[in-house]
């Protein structure tokens, strides 16, 4: 896929209907030969819309008006490029716990949670947040995560978590203002509710930090999994991570995780982690597939805002 195609696809598949500013911007970049040439000077994995837009927001540049964005990006390209080379899209979305909850709550309790690609670890606290599935409320903490769920009976209670650990190439620290400002810059412009959610979830994590280990989800998973306490169900899980992992390493990860004791919960795009015989998702936009031990269970939306259980 060319860089122009990647930006056009981001506009129509990921942000249409969810971030008008980024839809405008990514369509404009997809037709902007000057910016496309600059982007193509970066390694392919560093040309992503979320990374470019996040860096410009982090630097205080304009993202609402495509013409102003173009002028700013061209004038400030050396600093933007340098930041794109050292930063990565590490969006940490606690809202994804709302789609994990039905699976986690149904497993034998208590749980030992191990998230690969954990970023700052905000998805390691599904037991501390509260949830609203329409009229059905679960849990009593903050933030309150809204999820439009269909085709399932929402769980009656949050899971019991006795151990939480995360593995990431570059773990972020919610007590470090620079890391938090980067997580904030990665949230799409209009999403004030997600910014409030980040602050509330970061406070939960800061009060009881998880074990976060710097490492690779293939090379370093067995050693971390071996640290899980006996007597708890080990659950290795991941949300929106494998698109950042080269295909041979994805396959190695799947082979490895299937051989570990416990359970494996995946929430990834079907292009990244394919399954046979998936139903057609209702509505447009990017959908992930929630799966338990390789069995697909539901379509989920990218930030955990909706899920449709398979019949
Ligand atoms: C888009 S973020 C998602 C963060 C989190 N899972 C969530 O849903 O909020 C992807 C994360 O995966 C991490 N990652 C990418 N490749 C990895 C690898 N090979 N091993 C461990 N972590 C990796 C990145 O550093 C990043 O923090």
């Amino acid at each position: 896929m060319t860089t122009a195609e990647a930006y056009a696809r981001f506009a129509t598949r990921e942000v249409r209907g969810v971030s008008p500013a980024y839809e405008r911007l990514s369509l404009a970049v997809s037709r902007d030969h000057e910016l496309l040439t600059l982007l193509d000077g970066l390694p392919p994995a560093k040309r992503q819309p979320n990374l470019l837009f996040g860096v410009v927001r982090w630097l205080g540049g304009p993202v609402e008006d495509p013409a102003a964005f173009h002028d700013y990006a061209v004038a400030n390209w050396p600093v933007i490029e340098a930041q794109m080379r050292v930063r990565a899209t590490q969006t940490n979305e606690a809202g994804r716990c709302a789609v994990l909850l039905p699976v986690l709550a149904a497993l034998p309790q208590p749980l030992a949670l191990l998230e690969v690609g954990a970023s700052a670890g905000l998805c390691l606290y599904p037991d501390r947040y509260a949830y609203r599935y329409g009229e059905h409320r679960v849990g009593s903490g903050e933030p309150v995560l809204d999820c439009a769920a269909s085709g399932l009976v929402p769980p009656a209670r949050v899971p019991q978590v006795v151990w939480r650990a995360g593995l990431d190439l570059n773990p972020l620290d919610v007590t470090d203002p620079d890391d938090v400002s980067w997580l904030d810059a990665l949230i799409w412009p209009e999403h004030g509710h997600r910014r409030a959610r980040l602050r509330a979830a970061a406070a939960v994590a800061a009060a009881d930090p998880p074990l976060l280990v710097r490492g690779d989800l293939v090379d370093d998973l067995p050693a971390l999994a071996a640290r899980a306490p006996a007597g708890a169900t080990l659950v290795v899980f991941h949300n929106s991570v494998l698109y950042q992992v080269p295909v041979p390493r994805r396959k190695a990860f799947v082979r490895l995780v299937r051989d570990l004791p416990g359970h494996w919960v995946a929430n990834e795009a079907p292009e990244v982690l394919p399954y046979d015989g998936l139903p057609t998702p209702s509505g447009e936009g990017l959908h992930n597939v929630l799966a338990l031990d390789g069995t697909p269970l539901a379509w989920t939306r990218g930030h955990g805002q909706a899920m449709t259980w398979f019949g």
Side-chain angles (χ1 to χ4, degrees):
M1 198 186 308
T2 65
T3 308
E5 286 164 352
Y7 276 73
R9 184 182 150 100
F10 180 77
T12 53
R13 287 216 57 211
E14 290 201 43
V15 286
R16 178 161 293 165
V18 255
S19 173
Y22 276 8
E23 184 182 354
R24 274 195 309 274
L25 213 53
S26 47
L27 279 179
V29 173
S30 76
R31 298 173 189 133
D32 184 331
H33 295 296
E34 191 174 8
L35 270 183
L36 290 170
T37 304
L38 292 172
L39 284 164
D40 283 341
L42 287 163
K46 292 286 180 183
R47 298 173 193 161
Q48 304 159 38
N50 265 328
L51 185 56
L52 172 65
F53 301 160
V55 163
V56 170
R57 287 195 71 239
W58 185 78
L59 291 168
V63 292
E64 302 286 341
D65 170 17
F69 178 85
H70 168 94
D71 292 346
Y72 181 91
V74 171
N76 294 280
W77 187 252
V79 63
I80 293 171
E81 180 184 14
Q83 287 296 325
M84 288 177 77
R85 285 183 186 277
V86 295
R87 293 185 182 272
T89 51
Q90 292 196 261
T91 307
N92 200 187
E93 183 45 79
R96 294 175 180 140
C97 287
V99 301
L100 301 175
L101 197 76
V103 175
L104 297 179
L107 293 173
Q109 309 289 313
L111 305 180
L113 295 180
L114 196 171
E115 183 181 15
V116 298
S119 185
L122 301 181
C123 293
L124 284 164
Y125 298 85
D127 53 328
R128 303 283 175 85
Y129 305 145
Y131 304 84
R132 253 187 321 238
Y133 300 94
E135 298 295 304
H136 184 94
R137 293 186 70 122
V138 191
S140 56
E142 289 279 346
V144 180
L145 307 176
D146 279 296
C147 180
S150 65
L152 84 157
V153 178
R157 59 188 64 82
V158 295
Q160 186 195 353
V161 179
V162 291
W163 185 78
R164 47 194 111 230
L167 187 58
D168 201 289
L169 291 178
N170 182 41
L172 296 181
D173 176 359
V174 290
T175 64
D176 178 338
D178 182 63
D179 283 359
V180 175
S181 72
W182 177 234
L183 287 171
D184 189 282
L186 285 165
I187 294 176
W188 300 345
E190 305 88 342
H191 292 201
H193 64 292
R194 291 180 56 212
R195 250 174 274 290
R197 186 191 287 171
L198 169 64
R199 282 193 294 278
V204 170
D208 179 14
L211 168 63
L212 282 185
V213 174
R214 183 179 297 274
D216 175 76
L217 53 68
V218 176
D219 298 338
D220 302 299
L221 177 58
L224 186 54
R227 294 170 67 178
T233 302
L234 174 67
V235 184
V236 177
F237 71 99
H238 47 99
N239 293 303
S240 301
V241 171
L242 295 186
Y243 77 94
Q244 298 187 358
V245 176
V247 172
R249 299 291 286 173
R250 279 179 211 163
K251 291 185 173 162
F253 169 73
V254 169
R255 282 195 298 274
L256 175 64
V257 78
R258 280 181 182 282
D259 278 351
L260 288 176
H263 292 278
W264 167 39
V265 179
N267 184 31
E268 299 284 346
E271 300 85 3
V272 172
L273 196 55
Y275 304 92
D276 291 333
L278 289 175
T280 308
S282 60
E284 292 185 343
L286 184 74
H287 285 78
N288 287 327
V289 177
L290 179 72
L292 173 65
D293 299 325
T295 301
L297 300 174
W299 289 117
T300 66
R301 293 306 309 271
H303 300 128
Q305 67 272 41
M307 73 187 311
T308 306
W309 211 259
F310 301 151

